[in-house]
Amino acid sequence: MKKRTLGNSDLEVSALGLGCMGLSFGYGPAADTKDAIKLLHAAVEKGVTFFDTAEAYGPFANEELLGEALAPYRDQIVIATKFGFKDGDSSKGVDSRPERIRQVAEESLKRLKTDHIDLFYQHRVDPNVPMEDVAGTVKELIQEGKVKHFGMSEAGVLSIRKAHAVQPVAALQSEYSLWWRDPENEILPTLEELGIGFVPFSPLGKGFLTGAINENTTFDKTDFRNIVPRFSTEARLANQVMVDLLTRIAQEKQATPAQIALGWLLAQKPWIVPIPGTTKLHRLEENLEAVNIELSANDLKQIEEAASKIRIEGARYPEHLQKRVGN
Ligand SMILES: NC(=O)c1ccc[n+]([C@@H]2O[C@H](COP(=O)([O-])OP(=O)(O)OC[C@H]3O[C@@H](n4cnc5c(N)ncnc54)[C@H](OP(=O)(O)O)[C@@H]3O)[C@@H](O)[C@H]2O)c1
């Protein structure tokens, strides 16, 4: 497995990480624990060293799962987790008060069965807590050895600059893919200037960019995609043209649409590390193969030209969640 370094930090990880959320949360019922552990072990065996979780995934169940599955491999891998929601419950709103950050760190360490968190992200900016206080608290946790690196998620450039001035930020984790390219405007140039790595979440467009979802797909009633405007039946129908583009490039490259979606992200910057999620072994294998996809300047130009003519329909978040991003 190829490796990448997140920005100017010394945090080296596999070029693709594994997004673990969907094993416990967000996309219907949690996976069977035995199957989930098998998948996590397979990921380690295939060279994945970067595992993404959060106290909010479950809440708590996903960290507990990783603790159980990854404890035997702890020294070989990097675990990233996140704080920032009230009681760890993303439906209750944000909470990054210093005392809460400390509490989450202690509890996450226990659930993850470890004595250090490699990368501790603020899940969403808390408008009620000065960024200096958040970064200052993580700085103390780093001095105490409980946390190794500081990260942020879906933060705006002003917050990133404020935080970075207090405690260098190793990575920003925000949505980025061929159907959500907003980070290219302000975020990526800022990260490049400051030497911060970028971890695109939902790099497969929550599954849509793989071609496995169409207008007839139905989701479990607990699946988050039921309330995402971009996943309305009309939007899925309209956005199929992006999947068609990926399918066309995939055929040329003897690859799959998912591999092209990931290969395109990897080709944008050498300090980008996508974290696709899956609950299925064969898809894990398929996705990891994307590190071997070579997209030439000409391929990228062709994708760019075709993609620039596509207008993606539907917001990526419902309104109440949209307010939480970019702050
Ligand atoms: N910081 C944040 O706020 C935030 C927000 C969202 C996600 N995340 C992180 O980012 C990770 C990845 O994002 P994500 O899970 O939202 O979206 P994603 O990785 O873009 O897509 C995951 C979905 O795609 C399906 N899938 C994966 N590989 C596939 C393939 N090769 N062919 C067909 N379908 C495939 C999965 O279904 P199966 O399980 O059935 O394969 C799953 O439903 C999460 O696990 C989480 O760790 C962070």
Side-chain angles (χ1 to χ4, degrees):
M1 170 60 77
K2 292 178 184 165
K3 297 267 174 80
R4 288 191 168 199
T5 302
L6 288 167
N8 291 346
S9 76
D10 59 357
L11 195 55
E12 195 192 50
V13 292
S14 50
L16 285 173
L18 181 63
C20 299
M21 178 185 78
L23 291 168
S24 313
F25 180 74
Y27 299 142
D32 172 78
T33 304
K34 268 205 219 107
D35 293 342
I37 291 174
K38 255 194 224 159
L39 185 97
L40 290 163
H41 288 177
V44 175
E45 277 151 29
K46 290 174 193 313
V48 174
T49 65
F50 190 32
F51 292 84
D52 188 75
T53 183
E55 70 154 354
Y57 300 161
F60 316 125
N62 199 243
E63 283 189 337
E64 282 163 4
L65 170 70
L66 266 64
E68 186 179 347
L70 299 177
Y73 305 101
R74 186 64 189 95
D75 298 344
Q76 307 162 37
I77 57 162
V78 166
I79 298 181
T81 193
K82 315 183 190 81
F83 63 87
F85 289 117
K86 191 167 188 303
D87 303 328
D89 181 343
S90 54
S91 71
K92 290 190 181 172
V94 292
D95 183 355
S96 279
R97 289 170 302 135
E99 59 267 38
R100 176 69 196 155
I101 299 174
R102 290 195 152 274
Q103 186 189 354
V104 179
E106 294 302 335
E107 292 174 0
S108 293
L109 285 171
K110 283 202 192 94
R111 285 189 289 267
L112 291 166
K113 298 194 200 302
T114 181
D115 61 0
H116 67 279
I117 295 164
D118 299 289
L119 176 55
F120 204 28
Y121 293 104
Q122 183 189 36
H123 213 147
R124 290 291 182 272
V125 169
D126 183 343
N128 295 316
V129 181
M131 192 45 72
E132 291 79 1
D133 294 355
V134 172
T137 305
V138 176
K139 191 184 189 78
E140 286 167 11
L141 288 167
I142 291 173
Q143 282 159 355
E144 291 159 29
K146 293 176 177 168
V147 167
K148 298 294 179 196
H149 299 276
F150 178 30
M152 302 174 85
S153 176
E154 289 288 350
V157 289
L158 216 62
S159 295
I160 295 169
R161 285 186 187 281
K162 276 189 196 164
H164 193 70
V166 176
Q167 167 59 46
V169 177
L172 178 78
Q173 177 180 131
S174 293
E175 184 165 357
Y176 183 40
S177 69
L178 267 167
W179 81 342
W180 180 251
R181 297 181 60 176
D182 194 65
E184 291 171 6
N185 300 329
E186 277 193 311
I187 294 290
L188 291 182
T190 304
L191 299 185
E192 186 142 47
E193 177 200 323
L194 299 176
I196 298 174
F198 189 50
V199 176
F201 76 68
S202 302
L204 300 170
K206 299 180 163 58
F208 187 79
L209 298 175
T210 68
I213 294 169
N214 64 25
E215 73 277 15
N216 300 317
T217 307
T218 53
F219 298 112
D220 181 87
K221 65 179 188 316
T222 61
D223 193 307
F224 170 68
R225 288 168 290 198
N226 287 313
I227 61 160
V228 174
R230 192 162 283 196
F231 278 88
S232 72
T233 308
E234 306 75 56
R236 276 186 256 164
L237 204 57
N239 294 332
Q240 190 61 38
V241 318
M242 183 57 89
V243 180
D244 295 344
L245 166 62
L246 286 162
T247 306
R248 183 160 59 73
I249 308 287
Q251 276 162 358
E252 283 171 23
K253 292 268 154 196
Q254 297 180 325
T256 68
Q259 289 167 344
I260 300 298
L262 296 171
W264 179 83
L265 281 169
L266 288 167
Q268 300 309 303
K269 298 283 176 194
W271 37 270
I272 285 185
V273 180
I275 47 165
T278 183
T279 54
K280 300 182 175 66
L281 189 56
H282 69 279
R283 289 180 170 171
L284 172 72
E285 286 165 354
E286 174 188 340
N287 296 345
L288 294 181
E289 263 307 305
V291 299
N292 298 319
I293 297 284
E294 300 281 348
L295 292 171
S296 66
N298 197 37
D299 296 329
L300 292 168
K301 195 165 150 245
Q302 201 192 332
I303 296 174
E304 195 59 52
E305 274 170 15
S308 69
K309 296 191 187 97
I310 296 173
R311 207 184 100 101
I312 296 294
E313 292 295 330
R316 70 178 176 123
Y317 277 125
E319 225 174 287
H320 71 289
L321 297 180
Q322 183 61 35
K323 290 187 189 129
R324 287 189 187 161
V325 297
N327 297 317

